[in-house]
Amino acid sequence: MENSTFTQSNYSNHYNAFQLSLPLNLGIKINSNDEVVSFLKALEGVNLNKYLKRKECRGRKGYDNVMLLKVVIFVRMIGFCDVRSMESLCRHDIRFMYIMKEETPSFMAFERLLKDYLIEDIDYIFFDISQNIGKLMNIDKTIQYIDGKKFEANANKYSFVYKTRIINARKKLFTRITEDIISLNNEKGFDFQYHYFYYAQEIGYIVQYLMECMVNNDINPVYGKGKRKTSI
């Protein structure tokens, strides 16, 4: 008769404190002041579906494109861009687990989202988000705010750290705008008024008129270096 010997680990000498635990609600683990909470709050008034093509359900449903898009936006917000990082963060970062409801999409899911389902450039979405943040914070958009106020030790003594640099940059910008308006008037026969100070609304009228000219002449806007642009 053959004897069998069973061995097991020596739990007295090789004990470790690691122990499996049941999954808990990730919302409990995330601090209420965490940036992901503010991020999701800012997205509550933004319709992300309008930036996505409708998914045709054939067989397996797949991941929710809206949740994937939220991950892409939040990834860009914290400084990452590549899809491999998105896959890793959804597996190991509690904030992304919270956004994806603990689903773990691969990098290919994010590639399909960006190539096949995203309609507009993702930068346009940030404009909608900033608009919604303005509504949540009741920001008066008729006021121009200059950042960098520095308060001194003595009462009623304060200065703007970046004021001089911002004013100088604005003067240079106005100079370039004036040069462009003069050039357009000479080349295209426009009659735009030019001076040395402009309001945003005034520039908006000029831009709107130029956009109408582009539409009427079938001129498509081009972006980036190495692409020939018309003067308009």
Side-chain angles (χ1 to χ4, degrees), residues 82-100:
D82 60 293
V83 292
R84 294 280 186 179
S85 296
M86 298 177 196
E87 176 185 1
S88 177
L89 289 168
C90 288
R91 294 178 184 272
H92 306 295
D93 193 311
I94 190 173
R95 300 169 300 175
F96 291 90
M97 295 178 190
Y98 182 57
I99 295 174
M100 282 301 304

Side-chain angles (χ1 to χ4, degrees), residues 3-9:
N3 295 326
S4 299
T5 303
F6 297 93
T7 59
Q8 62 180 2
S9 301

Side-chain angles (χ1 to χ4, degrees), residues 28-68:
I28 299 175
K29 297 181 179 180
I30 295 177
N31 192 296
S32 59
N33 296 323
D34 195 282
E35 57 189 349
V36 71
V37 177
S38 302
F39 168 75
L40 294 175
K41 181 69 175 176
L43 287 180
E44 286 181 359
V46 180
N47 180 18
L48 295 179
N49 282 304
K50 69 179 183 180
Y51 295 100
L52 297 168
K53 294 180 182 177
R54 189 170 182 178
K55 183 185 292 187
E56 297 181 3
C57 296
R58 296 179 181 177
R60 185 175 176 271
K61 183 179 179 181
Y63 298 103
D64 185 355
N65 279 342
V66 173
M67 288 198 301
L68 293 175

Side-chain angles (χ1 to χ4, degrees), residues 7 9-11 38 44 59 63 67 74 77 88 90 96 103 108 121 123 138 140 173 194 208 213 225 229:
T7 59
S9 301
N10 187 335
Y11 294 109
S38 302
E44 286 181 359
Y63 298 103
M67 288 198 301
F74 190 60
M77 192 185 85
S88 177
C90 288
F96 291 90
E103 295 183 8
M108 296 178 65
D121 190 280
D123 291 334
N138 295 320
D140 187 355
L173 176 63
Y194 56 89
Q208 184 178 1
C213 292
K225 296 180 178 179
K229 304 177 181 66

Side-chain angles (χ1 to χ4, degrees), residues 129-153:
I129 296 174
S130 63
Q131 292 284 87
N132 189 52
I133 292 173
K135 292 179 182 178
L136 293 174
M137 301 182 66
N138 295 320
I139 296 176
D140 187 355
K141 291 184 287 187
T142 63
I143 301 174
Q144 181 181 12
Y145 299 91
I146 299 179
D147 193 16
K149 184 183 289 187
K150 178 183 177 183
F151 290 93
E152 303 291 344

Side-chain angles (χ1 to χ4, degrees), residues 31 68 76 114 120 137 155 162 167 181 189:
N31 192 296
L68 293 175
R76 291 203 173 194
L114 298 173
E120 297 285 354
M137 301 182 66
Y162 305 115
I167 291 175
I181 290 176

Side-chain angles (χ1 to χ4, degrees), residues 187-206:
E187 293 180 10
K188 303 295 181 180
F190 296 138
D191 191 24
F192 297 133
Q193 294 184 358
Y194 56 89
H195 31 80
Y196 299 101
F197 184 88
Y198 300 91
Y199 292 99
Q201 187 177 16
E202 183 181 6
I203 298 299
Y205 289 145
I206 296 176

